[in-house]
Amino acid sequence: MSVLRWRYLGIGAIVLYCLAPFYWMVVSSLRRTSDIFDSGPVPAPMSLESYRAAFAEGNGFLRALLNSFVVAGATTVLALVVATVAAYALARLEFRGKNLVLALIIATSMFPGISLLIPLLELFSGIGWINTYQAMIVPSIGCVLPLAVWNLTAFFRQMPHELEEAAQIDGCTPAGAFRRVILPLAAPGVFTTAIITFIAAWNEFIIALSVVNRTELKTAPVITSQFTGTTSFDSPFGTQMAAGVIVTIPLVILVLLFQRRIVAGLTAGGVK
C-alpha cells in the first residue's frame, strides 16, 4: 500500500508541475492591469479586462486565430496524407537500407529551425511566396513530417501482415486492402499523430514570424508576442496571458475529442 501511495504522490507531483504554469497564466489573465504583479493564488477582484484588450479591434487577434487554424489544419492534413503512405511503405516493403532511411528521416527533425530561415527567405523571395499562407504551411510540413512518419511506421509494423493477405484473398487489390482494411484499423495511430502534428503546427513561431510581415496574415503566437501596451515601454502582461489562455483552449478541446476516438478505435479495432 505504501508503494502505491508513493506512486500516486509522484503522479500528483508531475501533474502539478505541468499544470502550474497554465494555472498561473489563467490567474494572471483574470487580474486587473493594476493588480497584475500581485502574488495571490486567486485574483481579487476578478476581471475580464485582459480578455477584452486581447480582442480589441486594433490587435487583430481574432484574425490571427483564424490564420492559425488555416495553417495548422492544412499542415496536419497534408502531412498526414504523405506520412501515412510513406510510413506504410516503410513498414511493409523490404529493401536495402530501410533502417538508414528511417534514421535519416528522424535526423532531419534535429536541425534547428533558425538554421533554415535564411535559405527559406531567399527561396520564398525568389518565387514570390513572402506574405502567403503557403510560406508558413510548406516549412511546417517539413518540420512535422519526420515525427509523423516515424510514429506511423512503428504503428503499421505492429499490424499483422495477414490482414492484407486475407483482404486480397477476398478480392481486394493491395491498394484496396490498404484503404478498406488497414486505414480503418490504423485510426488510433493516425489520430494520435494528428494531435501531435496539429499542436506542433499551431505552436510554430519562428517561421511564421520571419516569412510574414502583414498583420492580416500573422498567426496567433506571432500576434501575441507583438501586443503593445499604452506606451512602447509598457509590456501588456495581462493581455498576453489572456491570449495565451485562448490559444491553448482549442488544443485542450482537440486532445479531449481525439482521445475518446483513440480509445474507441483501440477497443473496437482490436476485436475486429
Side-chain angles (χ1 to χ4, degrees), residues 23-258:
Y23 164 76
W24 194 252
M25 183 168 64
V26 173
V27 169
S28 298
S29 69
L30 294 173
R31 298 188 195 277
R32 298 178 302 181
T33 302
S34 57
D35 302 329
I36 194 64
F37 292 108
D38 288 353
S39 57
V42 178
M46 194 174 295
S47 172
L48 297 178
E49 175 185 340
S50 296
Y51 289 91
R52 288 192 292 268
F55 283 105
E57 186 176 353
N59 286 337
F61 183 61
L62 190 60
R63 177 59 187 267
L65 284 174
L66 177 61
N67 292 336
S68 290
F69 273 113
V70 171
V71 173
T75 300
T76 301
V77 172
L78 295 174
L80 280 181
V81 170
V82 176
T84 301
V85 177
Y88 183 73
L90 288 169
R92 288 296 193 253
L93 298 180
E94 294 296 333
F95 56 91
R96 182 179 299 177
K98 183 169 72 171
N99 291 333
L100 178 61
V101 172
L102 278 170
L104 290 175
I105 289 175
I106 198 64
T108 58
S109 64
M110 300 178 186
F111 290 97
I114 192 69
S115 65
L116 304 175
L117 284 182
I118 301 303
L120 285 176
L121 287 173
E122 183 177 357
L123 174 63
F124 291 163
S125 297
I127 62 178
W129 274 20
I130 298 296
N131 288 320
T132 60
Y133 282 121
Q134 59 265 31
M136 295 181 281
I137 294 171
V138 173
S140 296
I141 293 174
C143 292
V144 301
L145 198 56
L147 185 58
V149 171
W150 185 270
N151 286 341
L152 288 175
T153 300
F155 189 85
F156 283 130
R157 279 180 172 175
Q158 297 174 359
M159 304 181 71
H161 291 268
E162 288 79 9
L163 293 172
E164 291 102 319
E165 295 173 359
Q168 292 179 33
I169 291 174
D170 290 338
C172 282
T173 62
F178 171 69
R179 186 178 68 255
R180 298 178 182 178
V181 177
I182 300 301
L183 273 183
L185 294 178
V190 174
F191 283 129
T192 302
T193 305
I195 293 171
I196 299 172
T197 302
F198 187 88
I199 291 175
W202 180 268
N203 292 331
E204 201 286 318
F205 176 77
I206 189 66
I207 294 174
L209 176 66
S210 303
V211 301
V212 169
N213 52 41
R214 289 171 53 186
T215 302
E216 62 270 21
L217 290 175
K218 292 179 180 179
T219 58
V222 175
I223 285 291
T224 301
S225 71
Q226 296 177 348
F227 280 164
T228 57
T230 55
T231 68
S232 58
F233 300 100
D234 182 22
S235 297
F237 294 114
T239 307
Q240 290 174 337
M241 292 291 185
V245 173
I246 296 167
V247 169
T248 306
I249 288 175
L251 301 181
V252 174
I253 294 174
L254 283 175
V255 167
L256 292 176
L257 291 176
F258 277 120

